[in-house]
Amino acid sequence: MIALSQGSGDTVRNYIACSPGGAKVQSLRFRLTKLGGTPAPKVALYSSRGPDAVNPSILKPDLLAPGHQILAAFSRERPYTSLGEYSVVTDYGLLTGTSMAAPHVAGAAALLKSVYPEWTPAAIRSALMTTAYVVDNTGKIFTEQQTDEPMTPAEFRAGHIDLKRAMDPGLVYDLRTQDYVDFLCGQNFTEKQINAILRQRGWHCRAELKVEDLNYPSLTTTTIKVGDKGPGRTVKFRRVLTNVGEGKSVYRATLENVPPTMRIKVEPKRLSFHCRKETKKFSVTLDVEEDSPEKVYCFLRWTDQHGHVVSSPIVAMTVPPPQ
């Protein structure tokens, strides 16, 4: 077995096609890269899935990013593949996995930090999440790689990263260190546990922040299944948006893809900003009916006159009781 470069392969192919006597070929295969396939992207089989094991009411992981057959540097100290009894080494190879998606997100975050050095990690995360997209190149919601079944935010989270849009998100959901401290206090973490997470002492609980009020770009509620049904519930989320776009902007809230078993109220439905770094509060009240499916979701989108679309998934999940 012989592996040839593209240039050498073209030479062999031309020889076979143009040989006056007709070349004798036992086996010849050409492997090509196919571009523009549909539908794409898809949610890979190995992609990390939610809900979060520690706190299911926070939609985790945050994003999808390219992770399948990614061209990456490879060590020559380790065989990349084998041809018969021979090992093949290379400087670059096509690799697959969440470890390929993570560098894409890290690089995107680093680029945003270089453009906006004053942004917090939470602001950067928000910019990436609220500008992500959730439909493939056929205009349909993302599907699973093997089954072609439609996915939900439990699988694709906020969506697939779109760095161009993330460079100008319009609004961000920001968080400071004290917000995280208050959240840990509200989750009944012990002093020893909080010290280990913060790696510092001298902190204090300003208030016990409920998970529904953590200023996260996604809005999620999770309940335990009772019998054959998920219990109905009413949840109120409180959020704060910070203007990082044009000084004067008016945003209006719209809801998309709302299923019949969800009722949602956004207050207020209109947010007016007069300068950069100005903040505005709003709340979302979510009612989920008792006979609702295990996973239901919709999208809250804030749009302004400058073309910004700030998108957040609203997800209600029912999970089995712990064993």
Side-chain angles (χ1 to χ4, degrees):
M1 182 181 292
I2 301 174
L4 301 176
S5 66
Q6 181 175 342
S8 299
D10 290 341
T11 301
V12 172
R13 183 158 43 187
N14 291 335
Y15 171 76
I16 294 171
C18 302
S19 177
K24 294 182 178 180
V25 180
Q26 183 176 357
S27 176
L28 187 66
R29 266 192 320 174
F30 293 96
R31 303 186 70 177
L32 302 175
T33 299
K34 183 180 178 181
L35 302 176
T38 57
K42 288 189 171 186
V43 179
L45 178 66
Y46 52 82
S47 178
S48 299
R49 310 294 172 93
D52 178 50
V54 177
N55 195 318
S57 292
I58 298 178
L59 195 63
K60 282 288 185 178
D62 294 322
L63 291 159
L64 288 179
H68 190 72
Q69 293 289 287
I70 302 300
L71 184 62
F74 206 86
S75 171
R76 283 182 167 267
E77 300 299 317
R78 176 183 168 191
Y80 174 69
T81 187
S82 61
L83 291 174
E85 60 185 50
Y86 299 100
S87 296
V88 177
V89 298
T90 180
D91 292 321
Y92 293 91
L94 295 173
L95 304 179
T96 291
T98 54
S99 56
M100 293 293 99
H104 281 84
V105 180
L111 180 59
L112 287 176
K113 185 65 174 178
S114 68
V115 176
Y116 304 105
E118 75 281 6
W119 280 13
T120 65
I124 293 172
R125 174 181 57 206
S126 174
L128 292 171
M129 290 178 66
T130 60
T131 57
Y133 61 96
V134 298
V135 294
D136 59 31
N137 55 4
T138 68
K140 296 181 179 179
I141 206 81
F142 290 152
T143 56
E144 211 269 346
Q145 181 185 13
Q146 286 194 327
T147 65
D148 285 330
E149 291 293 321
M151 295 284 93
T152 74
E155 293 83 31
F156 58 70
R157 283 73 74 179
H160 193 284
I161 192 169
D162 185 339
L163 184 54
K164 183 177 179 180
R165 291 186 59 217
M167 297 289 285
D168 184 22
L171 305 173
V172 294
Y173 294 86
D174 205 359
L175 283 166
R176 303 287 174 170
T177 302
Q178 187 62 48
D179 297 311
Y180 291 109
V181 172
D182 295 342
F183 171 70
L184 294 175
C185 296
Q187 298 302 298
N188 297 319
F189 278 68
T190 66
E191 181 179 352
K192 183 178 180 181
Q193 290 171 326
I194 297 178
N195 285 338
I197 294 171
L198 298 180
R199 299 182 183 180
Q200 67 181 47
R201 297 180 183 274
W203 52 268
H204 68 282
C205 291
R206 183 181 56 189
E208 292 188 358
L209 189 66
K210 295 190 296 183
V211 65
E212 294 86 1
D213 297 332
L214 182 67
N215 202 35
Y216 217 77
S218 56
L219 299 86
T220 309
T221 177
T222 305
T223 58
I224 296 176
K225 191 174 183 180
V226 178
D228 296 329
K229 296 182 178 180
R233 66 265 197 198
T234 299
V235 183
K236 188 169 186 177
F237 303 91
R238 295 174 178 83
R239 294 292 188 268
V240 180
L241 284 166
T242 302
N243 182 25
V244 295
E246 282 75 9
K248 292 185 178 181
S249 302
V250 178
Y251 284 84
R252 290 176 172 82
T254 57
L255 295 166
E256 296 182 11
N257 196 50
V258 182
T261 56
M262 293 177 83
R263 291 182 297 276
I264 301 172
K265 184 177 183 181
V266 182
E267 296 180 301
K269 295 182 179 180
R270 182 176 179 271
L271 300 175
S272 296
F273 295 89
H274 303 284
C275 60
R276 289 174 63 88
K277 298 185 180 181
E278 185 179 1
T279 61
K280 294 288 182 179
K281 297 179 180 180
F282 72 94
S283 66
V284 175
T285 303
L286 169 64
D287 287 315
V288 184
E289 294 182 2
E290 182 178 307
D291 59 349
S292 181
E294 291 186 359
K295 297 176 186 176
V296 287
Y297 69 93
C298 66
F299 296 97
L300 168 63
R301 307 197 197 278
W302 292 97
T303 57
D304 74 347
Q305 72 273 31
H306 305 295
H308 296 110
V309 180
V310 184
S311 180
S312 294
I314 302 177
V315 185
M317 292 186 288
T318 304
V319 297
Q323 300 296 324

